[in-house]
C-alpha cells in the first residue's frame, strides 16, 4: 500500500538568503535558498510562495515548486532550489537576483504527490518548467525502490534543462522536442501513448503530470484511455497560497458529484486528473 501523504506541518515564513542563482538560459535559472527548516519539512511536489522583491511591486508572492532539496555533507537539509522561468514581473526579478539577497519565503505548502510503492511504477510527464516538482518525486520513488520514468517534452533541445539530473538519480528518461532536436519530434504525449500501449494491463503504472494546462489535459486523456490513474500538479495563478483569497480556484467534481470550485493551493496543487473539469479550466 502506498503511504498517504498529507501536508502535515504548519508552513514557515522565513527570510532566506540566496545561496546562488544559476542562469541556465535567457529565461531559466535555478535559485538556491538557505532554508533548512522548509527543506526538512518539504514533501514531494509541494511549493513555496516567494516575494520577488522587498518593495511593493509586485505586492504579492509568487508560487514555485520546490525543485531540489539541498543537503550538507552529512545529509542534513540545508535549503531548497526553485527552477524559475521568467514570464512576467516577478519571475524576471527572481531571474536577476544575486547571491546574498534575502527573500521572504513561505512554505512548504499544498498537497504533495503520493509516490507509489513497487511493484507499481511511477511515470512522470513534464512539459517545460513543469519539470520542477519531479526531482523530489523522483527521489521519493527511487528511495522506495519504485521504477521511475520521466517523459520530458520541450520546444527545443536547449529547453530540456537538467534532464541528466534524473538519469543520475536512476530515472529512465524519454525526451521529445517540438523541433525534433532531441528525442522524438512532437509532443511528449506521443511517446507516452506508445509506452502505455506497450505495457500489459497487469503492470501497475501511476502517471504524474505537470506542465501547460493543455498538455496536462492531454496526458490525463491518454492515461484514462489506458485505464491508468493520473495525478496532475496544476499551476493556477495564486495570490496567498494559504486558502484566503480564492484567486486559485479550479473547477472540480467528486465521483458522482456536481462540479464545484475548489482552491488549488490547499486542495491541490496535486489532484487526481479525473477530479478536474478540464473543459472549464482556464488555460495558461
Ligand atoms: C503550485 C505552483 C507551482 C509553480 N511552480 C513554478 C516553478 O517551479 N517555476 C516557475 O517558473 N513557475 C512556477 N509556477 C508559475 C509561477 O508561479 C508564475 O509563472 C508566476 O507567478 C508568474 O509571476 P510573474 O510576476 O512573473 O508574472 P505576471 O507578471 O504576474 O504575469 C505575466 C504573465 O504570466 C502569466 N502567468 C501568471 N501565472 C502563471 C502561471 N501560473 N503559469 C503560467 N503563466 C502564468 C500571466 O497570465 C501573464 O501573462 C508555479 C505556479 C504554481 C501555482
Ligand atoms: S491562493 Fe489564495 S486561496 Fe488559493
Amino acid at each position: 500500500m502506498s503511504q498517504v501523504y498529507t501536508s502535515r506541518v504548519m508552513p514557515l515564513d522565513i527570510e532566506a538568503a540566496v545561496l546562488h542563482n544559476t542562469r541556465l538560459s535567457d529565461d531559466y535559472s535555478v535559485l538556491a535558498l538557505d532554508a533548512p527548516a522548509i527543506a526538512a519539512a518539504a514533501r514531494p511536489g509541494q511549493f513555496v510562495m516567494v516575494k520577488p522583491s522587498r518593495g511593493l511591486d509586485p505586492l504579492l508572492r509568487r508560487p514555485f515548486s520546490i525543485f531540489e532539496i539541498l543537503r550538507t555533507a552529512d545529509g542534513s537539509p540545508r535549503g531548497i532550489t526553485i527552477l524559475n522561468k521568467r514570464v512576467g514581473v516577478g519571475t524576471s526579478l527572481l531571474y536577476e537576483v544575486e547571491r546574498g539577497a534575502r527573500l521572504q519565503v513561505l512554505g512548504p505548502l499544498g498537497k504533495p504527490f503520493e509516490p507509489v510503492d513497487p511493484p507499481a511504477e511511477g511515470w512522470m510527464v513534464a512539459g517545460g518548467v513543469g519539470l520542477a516538482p519531479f526531482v523530489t518525486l523522483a527521489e521519493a520513488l527511487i528511495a522506495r525502490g519504485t521504477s521511475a520514468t520521466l517523459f520530458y517534452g520541450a520546444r527545443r533541445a536547449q529547453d530540456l534543462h537538467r534532464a541528466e539530473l534524473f538519469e543520475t538519480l536512476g530515472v529512465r528518461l524519454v525526451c521529445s522536442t517540438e523541433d525534433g532536436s532531441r528525442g522524438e519530434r512532437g509532443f511528449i504525449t506521443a511517446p507516452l501513448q506508445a509506452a502505455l500501449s506497450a505495457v500489459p494491463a497487469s503492470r501497475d503504472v501511476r502517471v504524474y503530470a505537470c506542465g501547460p494546462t493543455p498538455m496536462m489535459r492531454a496526458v490525463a486523456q491518454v492515461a484514462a484511455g489506458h485505464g491508468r490513474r493520473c495525478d496532475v500538479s496544476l499551476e493556477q495563478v495564486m495570490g496567498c497560497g494559504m486558502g484566503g483569497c480564492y484567486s486559485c480556484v479550479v473547477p472540480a467534481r467528486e465521483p458522482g458529484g456536481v462540479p464545484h470550485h475548489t482552491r488549488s493551493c490547499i486542495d491541490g496543487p496535486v489532484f487526481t486528473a479525473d477530479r478536474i473539469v478540464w473543459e472549464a479550466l482556464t488555460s495558461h
Side-chain angles (χ1 to χ4, degrees), residues 144-157:
R144 60 191 59 219
T146 302
S147 169
T149 302
L150 174 68
F151 295 82
Y152 186 13
R155 291 211 172 92
R156 310 161 299 172

Side-chain angles (χ1 to χ4, degrees), residues 238-248 263 265:
M238 289 185 182
C240 71
M242 293 192 69
C245 72
Y246 287 74
S247 62
C248 64
R263 288 164 288 179
C265 62

Side-chain angles (χ1 to χ4, degrees), residues 27-29 45-49 52 58 60-67 81-94 109 129-133 210-213 233-238 248 264-265 268-270 283-284:
D27 50 1
Y28 277 82
S29 74
Q46 286 192 295
F47 68 97
V48 288
M49 296 291 292
L60 298 176
R61 301 181 194 218
R62 302 293 194 254
F64 294 90
S65 298
I66 294 170
F67 182 46
T81 69
I82 60 175
L83 177 65
N84 176 51
K85 181 184 180 189
R86 59 167 154 187
V87 297
V89 56
T91 47
S92 296
L93 285 166
L94 290 175
L109 295 164
V129 75
L131 182 75
C210 187
T213 301
S233 181
L234 300 183
E235 294 200 344
Q236 293 308 109
V237 171
M238 289 185 182
C248 64
S264 64
C265 62
V270 175
S283 183
H284 281 302

